[in-house]
Amino acid sequence: MTFEEHLPAVCDSSCPVRKTASIIEGKWTTLIIRDLLGGEKRFSELLRSLDGISPKVLTERLKFLEQRNLVFRTVYPVVPPKTEYRLTEMGEGLKDVIIAMSLFGQNL
Amino acid sequence: MTFEEHLPAVCDSSCPVRKTASIIEGKWTTLIIRDLLGGEKRFSELLRSLDGISPKVLTERLKFLEQRNLVFRTVYPVVPPKTEYRLTEMGEGLKDVIIAMSLFGQNL
């Protein structure tokens, strides 16, 4: 049976592609995950890497990813406080999506 | 060298993940591609499958995918005219992204 034949005929809320889309379809979301695949990063590092994102949107996206258990935030009790973000085990599960996006993007 | 080490340090417009994201990050886009992996479909079939999409948004997304050379539209000269959509060879290239999304979504 091919992948296509395995897909549910109708793309409703039970469809696994739709479940993933509901997480990654926001602008910047996959790019934040891409950045964190390289390891823990500070907010300022993400802001520098994601050329064009605003601090407001980065904050919103990180909060969303934290709520969905894909990103874990650690606040280090130093002065000034240091906050770092890393992928959870579940977040790491998106690596294959990012790899497939990277391969496709090489031909664009 | 791991995948992470291959990634550009900064996610600017030359990053392949970002190029792909610019195509698939709109709501519904990956789901339209998912649907067309199963073969050519009429507008009304897509509308039925994509539970919750409006005709207006479906039209916009299909037009965008056509402009990006990912979807090909065929108008059959019958009465009433029949319009079908299928993935181009380039559009088929997104199959691995959809497969990775489907595998991830099975654990959500």
Side-chain angles (χ1 to χ4, degrees):
Chain A
M1 224 189 198
T2 65
F3 171 72
E4 293 84 336
E5 289 165 339
H6 262 296
L7 288 171
V10 172
C11 189
D12 62 17
S13 58
S14 72
C15 171
V17 181
R18 184 158 185 166
K19 288 181 186 175
T20 304
S22 74
I23 290 178
I24 66 169
E25 68 193 355
K27 189 164 160 63
W28 300 107
T29 308
T30 51
L31 305 185
I32 293 170
I33 291 159
R34 184 214 90 114
D35 261 27
L36 294 178
L37 281 173
E40 203 165 42
K41 285 213 166 54
R42 300 179 69 159
F43 187 87
S44 58
E45 290 177 290
L46 290 168
L47 201 59
R48 253 197 312 276
S49 168
L50 299 164
D51 190 29
I53 200 171
S54 71
K56 182 171 172 285
V57 170
L58 179 55
T59 303
E60 279 169 13
R61 289 295 183 273
L62 285 168
K63 201 169 281 179
F64 172 78
L65 290 169
E66 235 188 298
Q67 284 163 352
R68 299 302 296 257
N69 194 29
L70 295 161
V71 163
F72 190 80
R73 184 168 54 107
T74 312
V75 183
Y76 294 96
V78 290
V79 183
K82 195 173 95 170
T83 307
E84 293 208 327
Y85 298 87
R86 61 173 170 80
L87 293 176
T88 61
E89 200 183 320
M90 195 178 152
E92 294 273 356
L94 280 165
K95 181 171 168 176
D96 287 347
V97 175
I98 308 296
I99 289 176
M101 287 176 70
S102 181
L103 290 171
F104 181 78
Q106 280 161 23
N107 299 318
L108 290 179
Chain B
M1 223 189 197
T2 66
F3 169 72
E4 293 85 335
E5 289 164 339
H6 263 297
L7 286 171
V10 172
C11 190
D12 63 16
S13 58
S14 72
C15 170
V17 180
R18 184 157 183 167
K19 289 181 185 173
T20 304
S22 75
I23 290 178
I24 66 170
E25 67 193 356
K27 191 165 157 63
W28 299 108
T29 308
T30 51
L31 306 184
I32 294 170
I33 291 159
R34 184 215 90 115
D35 261 28
L36 295 177
L37 282 173
E40 203 166 41
K41 287 215 165 56
R42 301 180 67 160
F43 187 86
S44 58
E45 290 178 289
L46 289 169
L47 201 58
R48 254 199 309 278
S49 168
L50 299 165
D51 190 28
I53 199 171
S54 72
K56 182 171 172 285
V57 170
L58 180 55
T59 302
E60 280 169 12
R61 288 294 183 274
L62 286 167
K63 200 168 283 179
F64 173 78
L65 290 170
E66 236 188 297
Q67 284 163 350
R68 298 302 297 257
N69 195 29
L70 295 161
V71 162
F72 190 81
R73 184 168 55 108
T74 311
V75 184
Y76 294 96
V78 291
V79 181
K82 194 174 97 170
T83 307
E84 294 208 325
Y85 298 87
R86 63 173 168 81
L87 292 176
T88 61
E89 199 183 322
M90 196 179 152
E92 294 274 356
L94 281 165
K95 182 171 167 176
D96 286 347
V97 176
I98 308 296
I99 289 177
M101 288 176 69
S102 180
L103 290 172
F104 181 78
Q106 280 161 23
N107 298 318
L108 291 179

